[in-house]
Amino acid sequence: AQSVTQLDSQVPVFEEAPVELRCNYSSSVSVYLFWYVQYPNQGLQLLLKYLSGSTLVESINGFEAEFNKSQTSFHLRKPSVHISDTAEYFCAVSGTGGGNKLTFGTGTQLKVEL
Amino acid sequence: DAGVTQSPTHLIKTRGQQVTLRCSPKSGHDTVSWYQQALGQGPQFIFQYYEEEERQRGNFPDRFSGHQFPNYSSELNVNALLLGDSALYLCASSLGLGLTTYNEQFFGPGTRLTVL
């Protein structure tokens, strides 16, 4: 079984400032890791994923996350945020060979202010 | 190419009633998973359907049941509704079960169920 901890329920940040959303996971097997974004009244959109290979993964809109196996972490970072990044961000884990079942954290609300 | 669609978008029921939610997977996908997202929480896995059979199930009571049709669409049924069943119900589709490799899941917009 897997579990995900997102310690920060809300992260306020000013526009153009850097941000880090923290995610730690627990699993007895190898994992795939994901960040999803959810805008108000919408479903989930995949932001980026780690399956294998390079531990640093990037999205097309400037976010990046680094898989750290020793610290069981997959923190999400962006060097300069925009108002449009305001949304709920969910970290998720799936056990390899686990049939695509996702276990999500409780989410972090990123609020970008002018 | 239509993505994952769900109906209805909103639903209001009273305690004790039964509800059916529907999901059409993304074109070409054959596997459907359902998730429950309570207010302020992350989605929780309910179950997964492939080849018209339930393949995995999360920690949900038997009041939650489902079905997959030959065209890969799926229904989620909830009997004897409780106030705590109020949530956003998300459907996700993928190609295959992902037992040997990861198969990306695509999520629908969800059905907002309110139980009064």
Side-chain angles (χ1 to χ4, degrees), chain B residues 2-5 23-32 68 71-74 91-94:
Chain B
V4 179
T5 59
C23 171
S24 291
K26 181 179 170 65
S27 178
H29 284 183
D30 57 7
T31 304
V32 173
Q68 185 179 36
N71 67 352
Y72 308 122
S73 66
S74 177
C91 169
S93 74
S94 61

Side-chain angles (χ1 to χ4, degrees), chain B residues 2 13 15 21 32 45 49 56 58 67 71 74 89 99 109:
Chain B
K13 292 286 187 178
R15 281 178 298 174
L21 311 181
V32 173
F45 176 78
Y49 276 84
Q56 289 196 79
H67 188 78
N71 67 352
S74 177
Y89 287 85
L99 295 178

Side-chain angles (χ1 to χ4, degrees), chain B residues 18-112:
Chain B
Q18 178 264 343
V19 68
T20 297
L21 311 181
R22 296 176 176 82
C23 171
S24 291
K26 181 179 170 65
S27 178
H29 284 183
D30 57 7
T31 304
V32 173
S33 299
W34 287 92
Y35 292 81
Q36 179 195 65
Q37 185 179 12
L39 195 63
Q41 300 295 317
Q44 285 194 290
F45 176 78
I46 303 175
F47 43 52
Q48 178 187 67
Y49 276 84
Y50 173 73
E51 292 187 338
E52 302 179 49
E53 289 186 10
E54 183 181 293
R55 299 293 179 152
Q56 289 196 79
R57 189 179 183 92
N59 188 26
F60 280 81
D62 292 344
R63 298 187 297 109
F64 289 77
S65 63
H67 188 78
Q68 185 179 36
F69 298 94
N71 67 352
Y72 308 122
S73 66
S74 177
E75 289 182 348
L76 164 65
N77 301 292
V78 187
N79 294 322
L81 285 167
L82 304 174
L83 295 179
D85 295 330
S86 294
L88 180 68
Y89 287 85
L90 296 166
C91 169
S93 74
S94 61
L95 177 60
L97 282 170
L99 295 178
T100 54
T101 61
Y102 174 72
N103 299 326
E104 184 170 343
Q105 293 192 79
F106 292 79
F107 283 82
T111 293
R112 174 76 62 187

Side-chain angles (χ1 to χ4, degrees), chain A residues 32 34 36 38 41-46 49 51 88 90 94-107, chain B residues 35 37 40-43 45 48 56-58 88 90 94 96-105 107-109 112:
Chain A
Y32 301 132
F34 310 86
Y36 282 85
Q38 186 175 39
N41 301 314
Q42 294 187 26
L44 297 169
Q45 299 175 28
L46 180 64
K49 62 181 182 285
L51 302 181
E88 187 90 21
F90 292 95
S94 176
T96 59
N100 287 351
K101 171 189 169 184
L102 292 169
T103 299
F104 288 86
T106 51
Chain B
Y35 292 81
Q37 185 179 12
Q41 300 295 317
F45 176 78
Q48 178 187 67
Q56 289 196 79
R57 189 179 183 92
L88 180 68
L90 296 166
S94 61
L97 282 170
L99 295 178
T100 54
T101 61
Y102 174 72
N103 299 326
E104 184 170 343
Q105 293 192 79
F107 283 82
R112 174 76 62 187

